[in-house]
């Protein structure tokens, strides 16, 4: 669950809860129509696009019954999810990706292994167990894909993984907070810097223009709940009845 601070017009503090599967769907929406030069379109879109869209499906059961942090008494953010809990969730995402393709499993497993390798728990027993398990499995999924698609190059596989990682971060950047300052994405697929400039509420200019359409309109829904102490999940669920949406529009500079 993404836990985003939010204030009502009268200043009352609230929390905007965005489910991880919703964030992933936003990643997929941002990836749609991508590829205006100098940016490359999605590689093998029949696999890469659904992999981006569904890479966080393992969170669906958890986000339906969000846990409460016993210390803060607030919903647990995905950023604070304990490593063993994250591994169990990531494992479900990887397993469920089998319905798409072995290549989707490879991409999602590599994505989560990278997240763990660059985290504080990378050297923990749980972290090492997760990484070692999926190093071997991801190699077998990649080999399976390459046997079926011998024309697929190493460069294309690296580009596909870079695209999944980029759109995941692009979506998180939008969901985690209100953006009012210019931001430059340095690590885009192809390493072409992308500058996003806020010009009005929810409206951004993008330079260089990366989409093949003239304008992009995306949105994410979530639950608006009071920013208060919660005794348990059931207490939070009683408040999760105000479904709202945040919208963003992108236009050329």
């Amino acid at each position: 669950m993404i836990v985003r601070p939010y204030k009502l017009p009268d200043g009352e503090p609230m929390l905007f809860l965005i489910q991880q599967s919703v964030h992933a769907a936003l990643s997929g929406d941002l990836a749609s129509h991508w590829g205006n030069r100098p940016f490359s379109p999605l590689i093998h879109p029949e696999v890469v696009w659904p992999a981006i869209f569904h890479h966080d499906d393992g969170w669906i059961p958890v986000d339906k019954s969000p846990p409460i942090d016993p210390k803060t008494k607030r919903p647990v953010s995905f950023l604070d999810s304990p490593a063993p809990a994250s591994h169990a969730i990531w494992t479900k995402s990887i397993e469920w990706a089998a319905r798409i393709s072995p290549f989707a499993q490879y991409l999602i497993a590599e994505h989560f292994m990278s997240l763990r390798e660059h985290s504080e728990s990378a050297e923990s027993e749980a972290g090492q167990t997760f990484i070692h398990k999926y190093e071997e499995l991801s190699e077998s999924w990649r080999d399976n894909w390459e046997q079926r698609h011998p024309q697929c190059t190493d460069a294309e596989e690296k580009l596909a993984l870079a695209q999944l990682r980029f759109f995941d971060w692009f979506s998180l950047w939008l969901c985690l907070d209100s953006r009012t300052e210019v931001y430059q994405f340095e690590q885009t697929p192809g390493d072409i810097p992308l500058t996003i400039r806020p010009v009005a509420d929810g409206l951004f200019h993008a330079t260089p223009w990366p989409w093949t359409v003239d304008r992009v309109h995306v949105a994410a829904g979530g639950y608006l709940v009071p920013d208060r102490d919660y005794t348990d999940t059931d207490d939070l669920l009683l408040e999760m009845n105000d479904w709202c949406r945040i919208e963003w529009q992108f236009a050329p500079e």
Side-chain angles (χ1 to χ4, degrees):
M1 185 74 77
I2 294 171
V3 182
R4 172 174 170 165
Y6 189 92
K7 283 190 176 181
L8 296 178
D10 62 5
E12 180 183 354
M14 304 287 284
L15 297 175
F16 194 74
L17 308 182
I18 302 174
Q19 296 171 327
Q20 289 292 95
S21 57
V22 171
H23 135 68
L26 174 61
S27 300
D29 287 344
L30 291 167
S32 299
H33 306 294
W34 185 269
N36 191 46
R37 292 187 177 184
F39 297 95
S40 298
L42 285 187
I43 196 75
H44 299 290
E46 74 284 0
V47 173
V48 176
W49 187 84
I52 293 171
F53 196 100
H54 292 286
H55 75 270
D56 272 337
D57 276 9
W59 284 92
I60 292 173
V62 178
D63 284 349
K64 287 183 177 179
S65 298
I68 301 298
D69 187 319
K71 294 182 179 179
T72 66
K73 300 187 184 303
R74 299 297 189 276
V76 176
S77 165
F78 80 100
L79 295 170
D80 301 318
S81 177
S86 293
H87 296 160
I89 291 165
W90 294 349
T91 293
K92 289 181 180 178
S93 290
I94 296 166
E95 290 175 347
W96 293 352
R99 69 190 191 276
I100 302 172
S101 163
F103 191 46
Q105 289 184 282
Y106 163 75
L107 294 173
I108 295 172
E110 287 288 330
H111 172 61
F112 289 137
M113 280 194 292
S114 178
L115 292 181
R116 182 53 66 225
E117 287 169 349
H118 293 88
S119 71
E120 294 180 356
S121 59
E123 299 302 322
S124 68
E125 181 178 355
Q128 287 297 300
T129 298
F130 179 82
I131 291 169
H132 292 325
K133 174 183 177 180
Y134 282 106
E135 280 178 338
E136 184 175 347
L137 285 171
S138 67
E139 185 175 341
S140 70
W141 291 323
R142 184 186 61 194
D143 290 345
N144 184 306
W145 167 260
E146 290 176 348
Q147 288 172 7
R148 299 181 185 182
H149 302 82
Q151 77 283 4
C152 184
T153 65
D154 288 344
E156 288 178 334
E157 291 173 358
K158 291 179 180 177
L159 177 58
L161 183 56
Q163 289 174 334
L164 187 154
R165 289 173 174 168
F166 169 70
F167 290 110
D168 175 59
W169 171 233
F170 197 167
S171 173
L172 285 175
W173 181 78
L174 289 172
C175 290
L176 283 168
D177 204 353
S178 175
R179 304 301 179 179
T180 58
E181 298 182 356
V182 176
Y183 184 79
Q184 187 170 73
F185 289 95
E186 298 284 353
Q187 295 183 335
T188 66
D191 294 323
I192 302 162
L194 173 66
T195 301
I196 304 295
R197 187 185 312 277
V199 293
D201 186 22
L203 175 62
F204 300 87
H205 283 168
T207 309
W209 183 244
W211 289 283
T212 58
V213 291
D214 294 336
R215 199 176 187 92
V216 169
H217 181 191
V218 293
Y223 294 99
L224 200 59
V225 302
D227 184 3
R228 65 168 177 83
D229 291 352
Y230 290 94
T231 56
D232 54 25
T233 296
D234 288 340
D235 188 18
L236 174 62
L237 290 174
L238 291 174
E239 298 281 10
M240 288 175 59
N241 48 35
D242 188 3
W243 180 261
C244 302
R245 58 186 275 148
I246 302 176
E247 300 183 24
W248 303 275
Q249 292 189 60
F250 296 90
E253 188 75 59

